[in-house]
Amino acid sequence: MRKYFAFLVLGVAACPGCSLVDEDMRDCEADTRLDYELRLVTNMTTELQTQLSLETDAKVAAALKTCWQEVFTDRAHDVDLSFYDVVEPWGRLHHEQHVMDASQTSYSLYIPVRRYMHLAVANLEGNGSLRLEDDLYSTTATLRETLADTLDSQSKGIFTARLPMDIHKGENQEFDVRLYMANSASALVLDTLDSHVKDVRVYGAGFATEFSMADSVYHFPYTPIYRARKVEVGTASGEQLCYTTVTFPSRSSRESKAEASNALWQLRVYATMPDGKITESVVYVTAPLEAGKVKIIKGKIYGNGALVPDKGDPTVGVTVQLDWSPGMEHQVIL
């Protein structure tokens, strides 16, 4: 699915001597335009139709689609715009932030004629623990998760762009800035009809925690776990449970047979039984979760709390630990 729209137009000053303070700039203005285009390229619709095609899955499919409205979106809320020098130390020359809440708007921007590296990010505000840091220089500007053992999932789709710009005096110029999605989502759908579990908690692991704006490279300096968000399905007696994580992508690799040692990312499921005992099921996935993409995993929780994924996906497997306790927790190398 591809969705895109132009949402920002900037007027740019056209002479090196122009100031950014109040003065007559009529002789410095040029007919230069920057068109920002948010492009959503995702498999969300296909994944929902493929994995949740049964009539019994209709409610959970609708609930997930609603839950992901602000993730897989064609609307920008806030935008952060930086213009950097193209020579060392590549410092920031101009910076603007705007709240848009619209699919299309325009701003006037006056900056001197010269070459720039332009970096832009949309939908950063109020998005979990994600922050834009070290952004005084283009080479260090990084979207970074807070350093912690456990984090909340991201709540919105993050879109980023980078574009070299050479603004000339006296020319009519247009620049197309295309922003692409930088995060992704997973969902776990559980059938609990034959189970008597009291509580289910789900966490995700194996995802990047940093994204370098200038080169679009993901980094894995530490390995937190992410609290999955419970999706309110509305089915009777809770016969279906659904949880979702929104994070940066996993590491990239070719798909291979599902073995724990080959896992690129995982979902950890903790089922509390009536007697207070906890069963840990670690669902491991050997196929990468890429930016802009969705992965839906279906399974069933049995009477002892163990999770068994549905058959048919050779890249998904599970390990189960009955009577699990926090002291027995183990780390799977990702």
Side-chain angles (χ1 to χ4, degrees):
M1 180 175 66
R2 294 175 180 264
K3 293 185 179 180
Y4 57 90
F5 63 96
F7 69 79
L8 188 60
V9 179
L10 304 179
V12 184
C15 68
C18 290
S19 170
L20 301 182
V21 298
D22 294 332
E23 62 180 63
D24 190 349
M25 302 187 66
R26 289 173 297 180
D27 295 332
C28 300
E29 296 177 1
D31 187 11
T32 303
R33 193 175 75 177
L34 279 75
D35 295 321
Y36 287 72
E37 197 173 317
L38 189 148
R39 291 199 167 188
L40 176 61
V41 183
T42 179
N43 67 334
M44 183 190 72
T45 298
T46 300
E47 188 76 354
L48 287 169
Q49 292 174 347
T50 302
Q51 300 299 328
L52 302 175
S53 59
L54 301 178
E55 184 177 349
T56 54
D57 295 327
K59 287 186 177 180
V60 71
L64 266 176
K65 191 172 182 179
T66 299
C67 181
W68 285 336
Q69 281 181 342
E70 291 193 33
V71 179
F72 300 95
T73 179
D74 57 1
R75 183 182 179 91
H77 172 262
D78 52 277
V79 63
D80 187 292
L81 311 174
S82 292
F83 298 82
Y84 295 92
D85 201 346
V86 295
V87 297
E88 195 172 357
W90 303 286
R92 185 162 61 193
L93 301 173
H94 189 74
H95 181 222
E96 290 198 6
Q97 295 175 309
H98 299 279
V99 175
M100 294 177 54
D101 279 331
S103 61
Q104 186 173 357
T105 188
S106 63
Y107 302 100
S108 294
L109 174 68
Y110 298 96
I111 56 178
V113 165
R114 63 181 302 157
R115 294 171 59 205
Y116 296 92
M117 171 56 71
H118 177 36
L119 302 181
V121 56
N123 294 338
L124 182 60
E125 182 179 311
N127 202 341
S129 59
L130 197 60
R131 301 288 185 271
L132 176 59
E133 298 181 343
D134 301 328
D135 53 328
L136 292 180
Y137 303 92
S138 63
T139 52
T140 59
T142 302
L143 290 173
R144 180 178 290 121
E145 292 280 19
T146 300
L147 181 60
D149 293 332
T150 307
L151 297 170
D152 290 329
S153 293
Q154 297 163 12
S155 58
K156 302 176 185 178
I158 290 289
F159 290 80
T160 68
R162 60 225 43 89
L163 180 72
M165 296 170 49
D166 191 357
I167 300 175
H168 300 153
K169 181 179 180 179
E171 294 186 16
N172 295 333
Q173 294 176 272
E174 293 187 8
F175 295 92
D176 293 325
V177 186
R178 297 172 180 176
L179 294 95
Y180 290 92
M181 193 170 181
N183 50 358
S184 54
S186 68
L188 181 65
V189 179
L190 300 174
D191 179 357
T192 64
L193 282 176
D194 298 329
S195 176
H196 301 286
V197 296
K198 293 174 57 179
D199 180 60
V200 176
R201 293 173 292 122
V202 180
Y203 300 85
F207 307 111
T209 54
E210 293 184 359
F211 176 77
S212 296
M213 292 280 293
D215 54 13
S216 299
V217 173
Y218 294 95
H219 302 279
F220 300 78
Y222 57 99
T223 55
I225 60 173
Y226 289 85
R227 298 181 187 92
R229 175 183 176 184
K230 186 176 181 180
V231 180
E232 296 301 327
V233 177
T235 54
S237 303
E239 66 263 23
Q240 274 189 317
L241 299 175
C242 181
Y243 301 84
T244 181
T245 60
V246 179
T247 64
F248 281 142
S250 70
R251 287 183 170 87
S252 297
S253 177
R254 294 181 179 178
E255 295 186 6
S256 59
K257 184 178 179 180
E259 296 179 356
S261 59
N262 295 332
L264 293 175
W265 58 282
Q266 58 184 228
L267 295 175
R268 304 179 187 180
V269 183
Y270 300 93
T272 302
M273 308 305 296
D275 60 2
K277 293 182 179 180
I278 299 175
T279 298
E280 179 198 52
S281 300
V282 179
V283 180
Y284 52 86
V285 186
T286 58
L289 184 61
E290 300 173 340
K293 298 303 177 62
V294 167
K295 176 69 173 180
I296 298 175
I297 299 172
K298 294 182 66 179
K300 185 173 183 177
I301 292 184
Y302 284 85
N304 60 358
L307 186 154
V308 176
D310 287 357
K311 296 180 180 179
D313 190 342
T315 68
V316 176
V318 65
T319 62
V320 176
Q321 174 67 60
L322 300 176
D323 196 11
W324 174 90
S325 66
M328 299 171 59
E329 186 171 2
H330 54 276
Q331 294 286 336
V332 177
I333 298 175
L334 296 171

